[in-house]
Amino acid sequence: MNKLKQYERVFNHFDSNGDGRISSCELQQCVGAIGGELSKAEAEAVMEYLDSDGDGLLGLDDFVKLVEEGEEEDKVKDLREAFKMYHEMDGSDCITPKSLKKMLSRLGESKSVDECKIMISRFDLDGDGVLNFDEFKVMML
C-alpha cells in the first residue's frame, strides 16, 4: 500500500462524520488517539495554518501536509540529538575533526584526524573546517 493510501485510511478513520473534512474537534481526537495532547486553541491554530481553502476544515491534502510536517520535525529533532552527541565531545557547538574522530572511535571505526578533516570538508559549506547543524543536516539527509 502506498503512502497516500495509508494517509487516506487514517484520514477516513478520523473523519468521524464522514464529510471528507477533519474539524478541529476531530483533529483533537486524532492527536489524542495517538497519545498526544492538543488543546482547543492549538487545534484551531493548526487548522488556520493548514487550511488551504479557508473553510475552517482540513481536507485530505491538508492532512497529508500536517502528517509530513510532523515527520520532518521528528527527523530534525533526532538529528539535533545526534549532532549534540558529536559536538559535546569537545565542548564546541560544531563537529570538529577531533570530535568526529572520537565519535567514530566509539562506534568502532578508526579514522585519523586527517581522514576526519576530509570527511568534514565534503559537507563544510562555509569552508570553516567544522560542521554546524545545518551542514550536518545536509550530510545526514
Side-chain angles (χ1 to χ4, degrees):
M1 184 181 316
N2 70 28
K3 201 180 225 185
L4 185 57
K5 282 282 185 208
Q6 291 174 356
Y7 290 154
E8 193 173 349
R9 286 182 65 196
V10 172
F11 177 86
N12 290 334
H13 178 75
F14 290 112
D15 177 18
S16 57
N17 63 2
D19 66 354
R21 303 276 185 210
I22 293 181
S23 67
S24 60
C25 182
E26 289 169 324
L27 181 60
Q28 280 182 284
Q29 292 169 352
C30 173
V31 171
I34 59 172
E37 210 174 293
L38 196 64
S39 72
K40 182 177 170 97
E42 289 168 330
E44 288 171 359
V46 168
M47 300 300 279
E48 187 174 319
Y49 174 69
L50 292 173
D51 178 19
S52 60
D53 62 6
D55 67 354
L57 303 167
L58 297 184
L60 178 60
D61 291 342
D62 300 328
F63 180 76
V64 168
K65 184 177 172 185
L66 171 68
V67 172
E68 289 185 345
E69 281 184 10
E71 288 176 357
E72 188 62 30
E73 286 176 20
D74 287 345
K75 285 180 196 173
V76 170
K77 182 180 172 189
D78 292 344
L79 283 176
R80 282 202 188 280
E81 287 300 314
F83 179 74
K84 186 177 174 183
M85 288 172 49
Y86 279 87
H87 76 77
E88 282 183 342
M89 307 233 30
D90 67 0
S92 68
D93 62 348
C94 53
I95 298 174
T96 65
K98 186 178 174 184
S99 65
L100 179 59
K101 178 183 177 358
K102 286 180 184 175
M103 183 54 80
L104 291 174
S105 177
R106 278 188 174 178
L107 298 172
E109 193 171 333
S110 179
K111 297 283 183 190
S112 70
V113 171
D114 287 336
E115 289 172 313
C116 290
K117 284 180 185 176
I118 292 168
M119 291 172 70
I120 286 175
S121 70
R122 292 184 193 140
F123 298 97
D124 181 14
L125 302 176
D126 61 9
D128 63 357
V130 296
L131 294 180
N132 61 34
F133 179 71
D134 291 330
E135 293 165 333
F136 179 73
K137 190 166 61 170
V138 167
M139 179 179 78
M140 299 305 286
L141 298 176

